[in-house]
Amino acid sequence: MERLVDYEASPDDVDAKFGTPGCLGTVSEEGPFSPNTDLVDAMQRWVCRMVHSERPLQEKTALF
C-alpha cells in the first residue's frame, strides 16, 4: 500500500515512452501526435499513462 501512495518514490518517465514500441494508442491520424492541442490525442496519452505508469494510483485518481 505504501508503494502505491508514495508517488515520489517511483519514477514518472511515461512521457518518454510515447512513440516507442509497446506504448499503444499514441498514433494520431491527423498529423503528429499532439496531446496538448488535440482532444483525442490527449485521451490516448492519459490511457497510455494509466497503463504504463509506475504510479498507477496517481494516474487513476486523475479521473476523479
Side-chain angles (χ1 to χ4, degrees):
M1 184 63 147
E2 288 182 27
R3 184 184 66 82
L4 291 175
V5 178
D6 187 12
Y7 304 135
E8 299 302 318
S10 300
D12 186 23
D13 61 349
V14 179
D15 291 332
K17 296 178 182 178
F18 293 143
T20 62
C23 192
L24 303 176
T26 56
V27 177
S28 180
E29 295 179 7
E30 298 179 13
F33 183 70
S34 53
N36 294 331
T37 58
D38 187 307
L39 181 60
V40 173
D41 288 353
M43 288 187 293
Q44 289 180 7
R45 177 182 180 266
W46 182 61
V47 169
C48 187
R49 287 189 61 87
M50 284 199 321
V51 170
H52 296 285
S53 177
E54 293 186 37
R55 300 176 175 188
L57 182 62
Q58 180 183 25
E59 294 302 332
K60 287 170 182 63
T61 56
L63 175 63
F64 299 104

